[in-house]
Amino acid sequence: MQKNIFLLLLLSIYSVGIAQPELPEKPTSAEIYAKIEKLNFLGSALYIAAHPDDENTRLISFLSNNVKARTGYLSLTRGDGGQNLIGLELRELLGVIRTQELIEARKVDGGEQFFSRANDFGYSKVPNETLEIWDKEKVLHDMVWIIRKFQPDIIINRFDHRSPGTTHGHHTSSAILTQDAYTLANDPKYEPNQLKYVNTWQPKRILFNTSWWFFGGRENFEKADKSKYVNLSTGVYYPLLGKSNQEIAAISRSKHKSQGFGSTGARGEDMEYMELIKGSDMEDKQNLFEGIDTSWNRVQGGKPIGEAITAIIKNYDFKKPSKSVPALIEVYNQISQLKDNHWKTIKLQEIKEIIACSSGLYLEAYSESQSVTPGDAVTLHWEAINRCSVPMTLKNITLLPENKSIPQNIQLLNNIDQSNSITVQIPEDANYTSPYWLTEKGTSGMYKVDDLQKIGKPDIIREMKVIFEVEINGVPITFEKNIVHKFNDPVKGEVCQPLDIVPAVTTQILNKVQLFKDNKQQTVTVKIKAGKDNCKGIAKLELPKDWKVSPAAIPFDIKTKSSEVFVNFEVTPPSYPTEATAKSIAVIDNTAYDREQIIIDYPHIATQQVLLPSTAKFTKADLKIKGEKIAYIMGAGDNVPESLKQMGYELALLTPQAISAETLKDFDAVIMGIRAYNVLEELELKQNILFDFVANGGNMIVQYNTTGHLTIKDIAPYPLRLSRDRVTEEDAKVTFLDATHPVLNHPNKITDNDFKGWVQEQGLYYPDEWAKEFVPVLSAHDTGESPKKGALLVAQYGKGYYIYTGLSFFRELPEGVSGAYRLLANIIAIGK
């Protein structure tokens, strides 16, 4: 319940003033004009980096909105390995959130989004390590595929391929791989299978987008000789949009809410600096496309198209954009006759959108149900309205994936709304809605996607669509629309959500980690959710043979779609320490369903359905605890409290406002959640109360904080300096600096085995300087580095103990790593 309150508080913070991502675009006259200008520019730029948030939104916005170039951002990963400031999702679920945040950012700055199959496995110090965990050849394959499809004239790297070890290994790797992809994309012998769908392609140049960060600070950058760089003035103001380029970029940047990257817009002069790495030289430092024909002349037969669009721009009526529709229809016909498939495809899609926007043509298809199952019949509502005097006829409606065409032949008169309903049959073999990159299990470094046509696509692939064929001024044009779920909310008004195809039934083991401290049986609860009416079958819980499960099967009968029932299994662990994966299955008419449905619902992104194997980690651990009552102060968000309750502690979640001497007096320990001193301003007023708690005999355990903004100068009662030191190799050898220290001996004897099976990284943001009162307990280091001793620091303060740890308990405990449970129990128990 307390966790739910925390999430609700977060949602309330982030829900203020955020538009619904799924609502259809309704551009203004000025925005339509900008689209027509872009129609007349045939040039592409691809920005490449490693993660969501690496991209330079100022440059992407400038290229898209000022230069009018087709601009893409290739993020090699989906940001799965980071932290989450708005909720508790980590790993692949965090990657889903950050994917959507990038999609929303591109809607703002005008770019397009792409990804490779690389998995953000966590921090990496050098590119060699990164490229060992990633499959280098597969990532390179993906980059070449995207370059061949996108056909960028210029490529811009965020990072420098010549400086390994100075930044995240993922960062440098993205630049290193770009150098190879630049050449290989034009080599017909490289990945010839791709050439069934695309042509070879040679970008004209690669540039490195440098900044003050690469010079060690703003002061150094100001002093540096920048004459060798392209000095691009990007601080432009767009009168038609009423915003500066930096203001648009800030709105785009602020979509990265899970990373806390809210940004304030700026105005005035602004410069971007780029170094030419490969390709033809440039004399005009304000024209990245120098030497590249970006007019319609680059396409055979394109010159009259460019002239026609120029005339449309000149004669555009901001009060009545529909006056341009007849001329736009003529241009549509001209583009349709081109032989150049690349630009033909791109510009046909652009001009169709412009025609619809200019004419006020509104097309929509929606369902009253938010989800359907394969084989269902669902009622679909559609609407079509023409809001101009140009003659239009709705000829046909085609339903996908059924591919059923329904003739209409309805004349769309000016401002007369047309609507109707259709019954849609969902195919029995329809694919469930879920991120395609999570369908099959990958490796620690790569997602598994075998379908070449899916690689690079940013979003969930939705099959439920409607194609409207509209004859405009005698010319048939097709418009494809995703089917959505739409309803009216009494508070929010019109609400649109994606329409999902779901399994007939899904299951969920409620505890994703179940900890067994002894040989006693425990109750394991499984939730069963119906995807349709009348779901009747049996539920089973599968475990290895040395775990006993009773009963073998439990019947269920759910009458109503979306209803849930809960069933309980009794599980007895083996007598020895071990770990196992439990799997829940529902069987209906001899068909087994083994997916868990996870709904990610934040107001700044489209609601996401994720279907993952319904599994949980069961851990039988040799675990003893001392001390019973713990107060937990949630920081940026983690799942440690759930693990503490399973360990047997009596836990209370406290807000900073609730911290007082009276509140704390009955607790054995206070634990600060991750990054608490980065995100909780109120702690500045409560720190002395916490230190008094320690002095009076309590234990205070502070988990990692970053070196950035701290809400208080002194996070410890003695001097302590945080650094960026970390041990990223989770299997790095751990040395005990004092094997007799109580933290290593009471109540659990800690051995080397307790550091086996750790995931992602051992720890992060270790202190590198501390007062003599602190005793370092552990030492470890990544390959080729000096020992790091700041992972676990213990200091007696009065009658109690203050402990600072950068060990990644927030990752290890939710993964059921038994050694992490045992070590944390000892930390809590010190002095008890």
Side-chain angles (χ1 to χ4, degrees):
M1 180 64 184
Q2 289 166 313
K3 182 173 73 172
N4 292 336
I5 291 173
F6 169 72
L7 289 174
L8 286 171
L9 286 172
L10 284 172
L11 286 173
S12 67
I13 292 170
Y14 287 103
S15 64
V16 178
I18 299 173
Q20 285 187 58
E22 285 298 303
L23 287 174
E25 181 187 21
K26 298 173 183 176
T28 65
S29 177
E31 290 168 334
I32 296 170
Y33 181 78
K35 288 177 183 289
I36 300 174
E37 287 186 311
K38 196 161 190 170
L39 185 65
N40 219 20
F41 189 94
L42 279 70
S44 300
L46 182 63
Y47 202 90
I48 299 178
H51 310 107
D53 81 9
D54 286 345
E55 81 275 23
N56 184 340
T57 55
R58 295 187 182 203
L59 189 51
I60 290 175
S61 175
F62 177 82
L63 291 170
S64 179
N65 296 300
N66 186 268
V67 180
K68 307 300 182 185
R70 182 178 181 230
T71 308
Y73 174 44
L74 169 54
S75 175
L76 294 189
T77 76
R78 297 177 183 266
D80 329 75
Q83 282 83 56
N84 184 358
L85 291 184
I86 62 172
L88 303 180
E89 296 89 354
L90 291 175
R91 292 302 306 143
E92 64 270 5
L93 297 182
L94 178 58
V96 172
I97 291 173
R98 292 191 173 179
T99 291
Q100 292 302 312
E101 289 177 338
L102 273 183
I103 290 171
E104 294 304 316
R106 298 294 80 79
K107 290 178 184 178
V108 173
D109 58 37
E112 299 177 45
Q113 187 60 51
F114 305 99
F115 295 97
S116 81
R117 289 173 291 176
N119 189 343
D120 179 5
F121 56 82
Y123 193 86
S124 170
K125 293 178 179 176
V126 292
N128 288 349
E129 178 192 10
T130 298
L131 297 176
E132 287 175 4
I133 298 175
W134 288 352
D135 186 322
K136 177 183 175 180
E137 293 307 315
K138 287 183 178 178
V139 179
L140 193 56
H141 162 281
D142 295 356
M143 296 176 75
V144 169
W145 167 247
I146 292 164
I147 289 171
R148 286 172 170 175
K149 284 189 70 176
F150 190 73
Q151 295 189 11
D153 296 303
I154 60 173
I155 292 176
I156 303 172
N157 275 139
R158 169 80 280 187
F159 299 102
D160 190 350
H161 66 288
R162 301 160 297 189
S163 56
T166 61
T167 183
H168 197 323
H170 296 184
H171 293 165
T172 311
S173 295
S174 70
I176 290 172
L177 293 174
T178 299
Q179 310 310 308
D180 294 336
Y182 173 85
T183 302
L184 292 173
N186 198 38
D187 183 355
K189 295 180 182 178
Y190 181 79
E191 297 293 347
N193 186 56
Q194 295 181 3
L195 302 181
K196 299 174 185 177
Y197 312 100
V198 293
N199 296 320
T200 57
W201 182 253
Q202 182 61 69
K204 297 301 186 293
R205 54 181 65 102
I206 298 179
L207 301 116
F208 159 48
N209 180 202
T210 191
S211 71
W212 64 265
W213 189 91
F214 297 94
F215 286 75
R218 296 182 186 275
E219 185 176 348
N220 293 342
F221 189 55
E222 291 298 323
K223 296 176 181 177
D225 178 11
K226 296 185 279 292
S227 60
K228 69 174 182 178
Y229 298 132
V230 174
N231 289 221
L232 192 64
S233 179
T234 58
V236 297
Y237 173 66
Y238 304 113
L240 291 179
L241 304 179
K243 298 181 182 72
S244 69
N245 188 66
Q246 303 99 307
E247 288 172 321
I248 293 173
I251 297 170
S252 172
R253 185 75 169 171
S254 297
K255 297 298 181 180
H256 295 295
K257 298 187 185 301
S258 66
Q259 303 188 69
F261 280 169
S263 181
T264 299
R267 290 146 291 280
E269 286 297 323
D270 196 18
M271 298 292 290
E272 288 295 335
Y273 299 91
M274 277 158 282
E275 178 184 359
L276 180 65
I277 301 298
K278 285 185 178 180
S280 56
D281 290 332
M282 299 168 56
E283 293 183 7
D284 182 357
K285 302 300 186 181
Q286 291 297 306
N287 181 13
L288 299 184
F289 289 88
E290 184 183 49
I292 302 167
D293 189 351
T294 57
S295 74
W296 276 96
N297 293 338
R298 79 182 293 174
V299 176
Q300 182 181 356
K303 183 178 180 181
I305 297 175
E307 293 171 347
I309 296 172
T310 300
I312 292 171
I313 293 171
K314 181 180 179 180
N315 298 318
Y316 185 77
D317 187 338
F318 283 89
K319 291 184 178 180
K320 200 169 184 180
S322 61
K323 288 183 179 180
S324 299
V325 171
L328 287 167
I329 292 293
E330 289 299 318
V331 171
Y332 174 86
N333 278 331
Q334 290 176 288
I335 296 174
S336 299
Q337 296 168 18
L338 291 175
K339 295 179 180 180
D340 184 308
N341 285 330
H342 176 71
W343 284 111
K344 176 181 177 179
T345 300
I346 294 167
K347 293 304 179 179
L348 278 179
Q349 183 59 38
E350 287 182 13
I351 198 168
K352 285 199 292 186
E353 293 177 7
I354 293 169
I355 290 169
C357 296
S358 300
S359 63
L361 175 62
Y362 183 85
L363 303 168
E364 182 182 58
Y366 67 93
S367 165
E368 293 179 0
S369 175
Q370 193 276 322
S371 63
V372 294
T373 59
D376 277 355
V378 60
T379 300
L380 175 70
H381 304 278
W382 62 262
E383 177 186 0
I385 184 170
N386 166 27
R387 288 172 285 188
C388 75
S389 59
V390 176
M392 293 189 194
T393 302
L394 176 61
K395 302 294 289 184
N396 286 291
I397 289 178
T398 301
L399 307 175
L400 300 179
E402 192 179 1
N403 205 26
K404 177 182 178 181
S405 184
I406 304 172
Q408 300 294 322
N409 292 312
I410 298 173
Q411 191 173 1
L412 299 180
L413 301 175
N414 186 4
N415 211 31
I416 303 298
D417 197 22
Q418 299 286 347
S419 60
N420 211 330
S421 299
I422 306 171
T423 299
V424 181
Q425 188 71 35
I426 311 299
E428 292 283 355
D429 60 352
N431 293 318
Y432 300 137
T433 305
S434 191
Y436 69 88
W437 60 94
L438 299 178
T439 301
E440 297 187 63
K441 184 175 178 59
T443 66
S444 60
M446 297 294 296
Y447 285 120
K448 187 175 183 343
V449 181
D450 295 327
D451 186 344
L452 181 62
Q453 298 291 354
K454 292 180 179 178
I455 292 172
K457 290 184 180 294
D459 207 352
I460 287 175
I461 298 171
R462 299 188 181 277
E463 298 182 344
M464 297 287 292
K465 300 175 184 289
V466 168
I467 297 175
F468 295 88
E469 182 186 331
V470 183
E471 189 176 88
I472 305 176
N473 239 17
V475 177
I477 303 177
T478 59
F479 300 89
E480 184 178 279
K481 300 290 182 179
N482 284 338
I483 300 174
V484 298
H485 166 52
K486 190 173 82 167
F487 63 97
N488 185 74
D489 183 272
V491 176
K492 299 177 182 178
E494 184 181 27
V495 175
C496 284
Q497 295 177 337
L499 176 65
D500 293 331
I501 300 177
V502 305
V505 65
T506 55
T507 67
Q508 177 190 356
I509 304 172
L510 291 192
N511 286 334
K512 303 313 292 179
V513 172
Q514 190 102 358
L515 178 64
F516 294 78
K517 296 190 299 178
D518 49 38
N519 296 332
K520 295 179 181 177
Q521 72 175 23
Q522 292 187 23
T523 300
V524 175
T525 301
V526 175
K527 180 178 75 174
I528 306 169
K529 182 179 180 180
K532 62 179 183 179
D533 292 340
N534 300 314
C535 287
K536 184 177 183 179
I538 59 170
K540 298 190 292 184
L541 185 66
E542 293 186 350
L543 274 162
K545 292 181 180 179
D546 51 353
W547 293 74
K548 296 180 180 179
V549 180
S550 178
I554 300 175
F556 64 86
D557 187 357
I558 309 176
K559 302 295 185 186
T560 309
K561 174 182 176 178
S562 298
S563 294
E564 301 170 351
V565 297
F566 297 85
V567 296
N568 293 323
F569 295 91
E570 299 301 324
V571 175
T572 305
S575 59
Y576 47 87
T578 186
E579 297 175 356
T581 298
K583 183 177 183 179
S584 61
I585 298 174
V587 181
I588 300 176
D589 296 330
N590 296 318
T591 300
Y593 297 90
D594 62 355
R595 299 282 114 172
E596 174 183 352
Q597 182 191 53
I598 302 161
I599 302 297
I600 298 176
D601 188 10
Y602 291 100
H604 68 294
I605 59 175
T607 304
Q608 301 294 293
Q609 171 180 270
V610 183
L611 297 173
L612 295 176
S614 184
T615 60
K617 180 80 167 287
F618 283 12
T619 298
K620 169 64 187 306
D622 180 9
L623 175 66
K624 304 179 184 66
I625 66 172
K626 292 287 185 181
E628 297 179 356
K629 299 185 68 176
I630 295 176
Y632 200 92
I633 315 298
M634 190 71 76
D638 57 65
N639 278 309
V640 173
E642 294 301 309
S643 299
L644 290 168
K645 285 189 280 189
Q646 286 214 25
M647 291 169 72
Y649 296 106
E650 184 180 338
L651 186 87
L653 283 178
L654 295 185
T655 63
Q657 294 87 346
I659 296 173
S660 68
E662 181 65 24
T663 304
L664 298 180
K665 67 182 179 65
D666 293 327
F667 290 103
D668 297 296
V670 172
I671 301 180
M672 312 301 289
I674 62 171
R675 299 178 67 178
Y677 288 103
N678 295 129
V679 299
L680 300 177
E681 299 286 345
E682 302 92 335
L683 288 179
E684 183 177 7
L685 304 176
K686 302 293 183 175
Q687 192 73 331
N688 288 335
I689 297 173
L690 291 167
F691 289 165
D692 287 345
F693 166 76
V694 180
N696 291 326
N699 289 343
M700 181 177 176
I701 301 158
V702 178
Q703 298 179 83
Y704 95 94
N705 289 268
T706 67
T707 55
H709 171 71
L710 290 169
T711 61
I712 189 170
K713 180 182 177 182
D714 298 316
I715 65 171
Y718 305 116
L720 180 76
R721 188 179 79 171
L722 302 183
S723 76
R724 298 183 67 85
D725 286 351
R726 62 206 300 161
V727 178
T728 64
E729 297 171 14
E730 59 270 19
D731 57 354
K733 168 68 176 174
V734 177
T735 300
F736 300 158
L737 298 175
D738 178 6
T740 66
H741 196 284
V743 162
L744 300 176
N745 291 277
H746 177 78
N748 304 288
K749 178 66 176 177
I750 303 300
T751 70
D752 290 344
N753 287 333
D754 289 299
F755 288 92
K756 292 180 179 178
W758 284 50
V759 299
Q760 188 159 329
E761 59 192 346
Q762 274 190 13
L764 61 171
Y765 291 97
Y766 294 171
D768 62 354
E769 289 184 10
W770 51 83
K772 61 180 177 59
E773 287 82 1
F774 282 105
V775 177
V777 178
L778 306 173
S779 175
H781 62 88
D782 289 325
T783 303
E785 292 194 351
S786 60
K788 304 293 185 290
K789 299 180 179 181
L792 180 57
L793 301 173
V794 181
Q796 187 164 6
Y797 182 71
K799 299 178 182 178
Y801 289 85
Y802 176 97
I803 301 99
Y804 187 92
T805 179
L807 292 171
S808 59
F809 288 111
F810 74 104
R811 295 197 187 280
E812 312 312 322
L813 298 178
E815 292 292 330
V817 178
S818 58
Y821 286 111
R822 286 161 47 82
L823 180 57
L824 182 57
N826 285 13
I827 294 171
I828 294 169
I830 189 169
K832 304 299 179 187

